[in-house]
Amino acid sequence: MVFLSALARRAPGAAGMRPSGICAAPAILLLAFLLAGCSYIGYWVQAGEGKLEAGDWMQGSVTGVLASENCFYLKGPLEGAANPEMPLLFVALVERAGEIEVAATKIIRNRAGEYGALLPRGKYELLVFADLNHDGYFDENEVVGCTSGREKFEISPASSSDGFFVPGPSVRLNVPEPRRLGTAIHIPAAKHHEIYNSLDDEFFDPRYGMIGLYDPLKFLTHTGGLLFGLEEFDPEKTTVLFVHGAAGTPRDWKFFAEELDRKQYQPWFFYYPTGMPLAKLGLLLANVVRSLNHGSAQPLARLVIVAHSMGGLVSWAAIDDLCAGGVPPYLKQYISLSTPYGGIEGLKLGKGHLPGLIPSWRDLVPESPFLNSLYRRDFPAEVPVHLLFSFRNDSTLKIGQNSDGRITLKSQLHPRVQGKAARIHGFDSTHTGVLSSPEAAALFKDLLGDGGSPETAAAMGEGIRGE
C-alpha cells in the first residue's frame, strides 16, 4: 500500500526525518485516517513523494501553519502617479534581533491604486520600489513611495475590524525624486512578476503546493503574490480564473488551460497557500477578483471561475463575498470539479488533533463552522453553477462510501449545491485524473459557450440536470 509505505518512510526516527518535525501522535492519527479510508490526507502525503525530503516540507509545519492563523491582509491606498507600465514592488520591512529583514514583497497592479500583502502581527516599514534604471532589480536607491515620515505601522488583532483585513496607511508615490534606503536591497524583478510563459516554469513546481499547505508564509515569500497569468491582461477577453485544490499549484490546470482558445479566453490562476483557513482564502480570492477588475484600464467584461477540489469551497466563499452587495456584471458562471461540499468524513477521527495543525483541514471536517456558514446565503441565481464530479476509485484501500479515491460522492453532490446547479455531470475519473480527462475538458469548453454568457450556459443546461 503506497500510502502506508510513504508514512513509514516519514515516521519519526526514520532516516532523513528531523526530530523537530511533526510529533508521533499526529503521525499515528494520520495512519488512523488512512485505515479509515480518508485517502484525501493520504493524497497529500503521496503528493509530497519525490517532491521534497520529509525534513524539508515537515520542518516548521507547526509554527508555519499556526502563524497563518495570526496573519492579516494589509491593504492601503497609493497616492501620486506613476507610469502604468513601470514595474512597482511593495515591500514590508521588519526588525528582528537587531537586523532589518524583508517580511513580504508583492507586485503592485499599478492602475489599482492600492497595495496589499499578507503579514503576521508586528511593526513594519512600508515601502514601494520601482526598477528605475531597468536593470531587472529593485535596489535601495529606488524607493519611490513610503508612509509619511517612514513611520512603522503596527499590525495586530486590534488593527482589524473583521479579524483579517487591516486598513493600511496611505503610501505616496514620488517617482521623479526617489529616496535611498539605509538598508541594502537587491530584489530581482523577474521573480516578482505576474506573467509567465508556461505552467511548466519552476515557479509552479508541485513542491510549492506542499509548502503552501504546511507553511503559508514561506509559500508567500516564494510567490510574492496570489494572481498569475500566461499573457498580459486583456479585459476584452473572457477571463477564466482557475483555482487549484489542496497542496496544488496552477500547473494542475495545464491540460484545461491548453484547451482554451486564447483568441477569446485568457487563463489566470489563483496561486494560494492552501493551509490557511478557508474563510480567509475566500476573502483573499474575492479581493484578487476586485483588484483584477479595478486594476486594468477598463473593467472586466466576463469572468468565469473554475475550481478543483478544496478550491471549490474557496471559490464559493469568494463568490458569496463578491455578491454580498449585488452580483457584479462581469461574473458569468462558476464551474467546480470534484469539490468536497459536504466536507471529508475521515477528518472527524482527528478533530482537535492533526487537523488542528492545519486550519484548512479543520474547516473540511463535516459540519465545521466554516461549512455550516458557507451556505448561509443563497447562491446568486444570476451566476450559473456547473457541478462536475468524479467517481473512479483506483486506490488500493477502499473503505467506506463510493468515492473518486479522495472525496465521497455524497460530499461532491451535497444537496445544498446540487439544488443550485444548472448542470450536473459525472466522469469516470479519479480525483486528480479529472484534471487531465479529455471528456471533462470538452465539457468545460462547451460550458464556456460564447464567452461565458449566462444565457448560453442556461440554454445548455436545459434538460440535462442530473446527467
Side-chain angles (χ1 to χ4, degrees), residues 70-77 115-122 124 126 153-169:
N70 291 316
C71 278
F72 302 88
Y73 195 83
L74 176 68
K75 185 178 177 181
Y115 64 87
L118 193 68
L119 290 163
R121 59 190 303 173
Y124 300 91
L126 311 177
F153 182 78
E154 183 172 6
I155 296 176
S156 71
S159 310
S160 174
S161 60
D162 61 4
F164 185 48
F165 284 106
V166 172

Side-chain angles (χ1 to χ4, degrees), residues 109-359:
R109 294 185 66 82
N110 209 339
R111 295 188 181 95
E114 64 182 23
Y115 64 87
L118 193 68
L119 290 163
R121 59 190 303 173
K123 292 184 177 181
Y124 300 91
E125 184 174 359
L126 311 177
L127 304 165
V128 175
F129 290 76
D131 183 15
L132 297 174
N133 60 6
H134 306 289
D135 68 345
Y137 289 89
F138 299 102
D139 294 307
E140 66 270 13
N141 62 342
E142 296 179 315
V143 178
V144 298
C146 61
T147 54
S148 178
R150 287 181 53 183
E151 296 178 357
K152 291 184 178 179
F153 182 78
E154 183 172 6
I155 296 176
S156 71
S159 310
S160 174
S161 60
D162 61 4
F164 185 48
F165 284 106
V166 172
S170 295
V171 174
R172 175 166 292 280
L173 300 178
N174 188 352
V175 176
E177 300 178 1
R179 300 186 183 186
R180 174 180 287 275
L181 188 66
T183 304
I185 295 289
H186 191 62
I187 300 175
K191 291 186 177 180
H192 293 80
H193 200 267
E194 59 190 10
I195 307 299
Y196 286 81
N197 292 328
S198 169
L199 292 177
D200 290 325
D201 194 284
E202 191 272 342
F203 182 74
F204 302 114
D205 191 275
R207 71 180 185 275
Y208 295 114
M210 295 301 295
I211 292 172
L213 180 67
Y214 282 96
D215 197 338
L217 295 179
K218 182 177 180 181
F219 169 89
L220 289 167
T221 300
H222 164 67
T223 63
L226 295 163
L227 184 67
F228 300 90
L230 300 179
E231 61 185 65
E232 294 296 334
F233 180 72
D234 182 354
E236 297 286 344
K237 296 181 181 179
T238 294
T239 301
V240 182
L241 181 55
F242 292 100
V243 184
H244 60 73
T249 78
R251 189 178 293 177
D252 298 345
W253 291 109
K254 181 180 177 182
F255 185 74
F256 272 52
E258 289 176 344
E259 292 293 301
L260 288 176
D261 177 0
R262 297 286 285 276
K263 294 180 180 178
Q264 298 183 62
Y265 306 100
Q266 56 180 343
W268 282 77
F269 306 90
F270 183 52
Y271 192 13
Y272 65 103
T274 58
M276 286 184 59
L278 298 187
K280 290 186 176 182
L281 290 172
L283 293 174
L284 278 179
L285 177 54
N287 185 70
V288 160
V289 170
R290 291 188 181 101
S291 296
L292 187 64
N293 183 47
H294 298 146
S296 59
Q298 61 188 87
L300 278 168
R302 296 169 300 277
L303 173 70
V304 177
I305 298 178
V306 185
H308 176 244
S309 192
M310 190 187 81
L313 298 175
V314 174
S315 299
W316 192 283
I319 292 171
D320 181 66
D321 186 68
L322 285 169
C323 298
V327 179
Y330 55 78
L331 186 55
K332 299 305 181 184
Q333 55 180 321
Y334 164 59
I335 303 170
S336 74
L337 296 86
S338 310
T339 291
Y341 288 109
I344 299 174
E345 289 288 336
L347 285 170
K348 284 182 177 179
L349 291 174
K351 190 175 181 181
H353 298 285
L354 182 62
L357 296 179
I358 299 181

Side-chain angles (χ1 to χ4, degrees), residues 436-450:
S436 56
S437 163
E439 294 78 16
L443 179 59
F444 160 69
K445 288 196 296 182
D446 286 343
L447 291 175
L448 290 180
D450 62 348

